[in-house]
Amino acid sequence: MKKRLVVYPAIFDDSENKKGVYSVEFPDVPDTLTYGNSLAEALDRAPEALGLSLYELTELPKPSDINEIRKMNPQAIVNFVSVDLEKIKLKVKVPYVRKNTSLPADIAQQAEEQNINFSETLLEGLKRKLKS
């Protein structure tokens, strides 16, 4: 299995919570938040939160300089968090829904004769259509 490792600085801060309960945020991935009831738990949860926010992106945000983040957050622990986006992608379960469709009989017959997978073809077409 190929790896797609990424590393981003994260801010671990308990200054606004009950002491020892750490909020985790990633300055370069603003919608990514998690927490832990201890620093160890926050460190454990951070990679998954980061991975879930980034695994589908083809263009990733540029990581900030960790020293700059530390200067701006002197009350917090600032540390690198790494994650393998390919491992995260394997864990994600995408829910599927069944959709019935109608098409001309001659097209259906030709597709069946060529062993074309209808679901796969519909999915490919919808993805293309949604990108445009």
Side-chain angles (χ1 to χ4, degrees):
M1 177 177 83
K2 70 177 183 173
K3 290 186 178 194
R4 197 165 74 134
L5 294 173
V6 296
V7 178
Y8 285 88
I11 302 166
F12 297 82
D13 189 357
D14 70 346
S15 65
E16 294 183 19
N17 306 323
K18 188 175 119 188
K19 206 68 177 154
V21 176
Y22 287 86
S23 297
V24 183
E25 62 181 288
F26 296 85
D28 304 307
V29 192
D31 293 337
T32 303
L33 303 169
T34 190
Y35 79 100
N37 289 315
S38 66
L39 182 57
E41 190 175 89
L43 284 162
D44 185 54
R45 289 180 173 180
E48 184 174 50
L50 179 63
L52 289 171
S53 292
L54 298 176
Y55 81 96
E56 285 187 306
L57 299 181
T58 51
E59 194 168 319
L60 298 171
K62 185 179 184 309
S64 296
D65 181 327
I66 195 167
N67 294 318
E68 291 298 316
I69 304 295
R70 284 182 175 141
K71 282 182 201 171
M72 296 184 320
N73 298 278
Q75 81 293 353
I77 297 167
V78 178
N79 202 5
F80 283 118
V81 171
S82 71
V83 64
D84 181 348
L85 298 179
E86 290 302 317
K87 274 189 181 175
I88 292 292
K89 190 175 182 177
L90 291 174
K91 289 182 178 181
V92 174
K93 302 269 190 268
V94 178
Y96 279 79
V97 294
R98 180 173 292 281
K99 294 290 180 185
N100 292 331
T101 186
S102 298
L103 58 147
D106 61 325
I107 300 291
Q109 183 178 358
Q110 289 175 34
E112 287 171 0
E113 288 171 358
Q114 294 184 33
N115 294 320
I116 292 175
N117 181 313
F118 287 88
S119 294
E120 186 178 296
T121 304
L122 177 60
L123 181 59
E124 288 169 0
L126 285 170
K127 283 181 177 179
R128 257 193 320 273
K129 187 85 168 176
L130 292 170
K131 283 184 181 180
S132 54

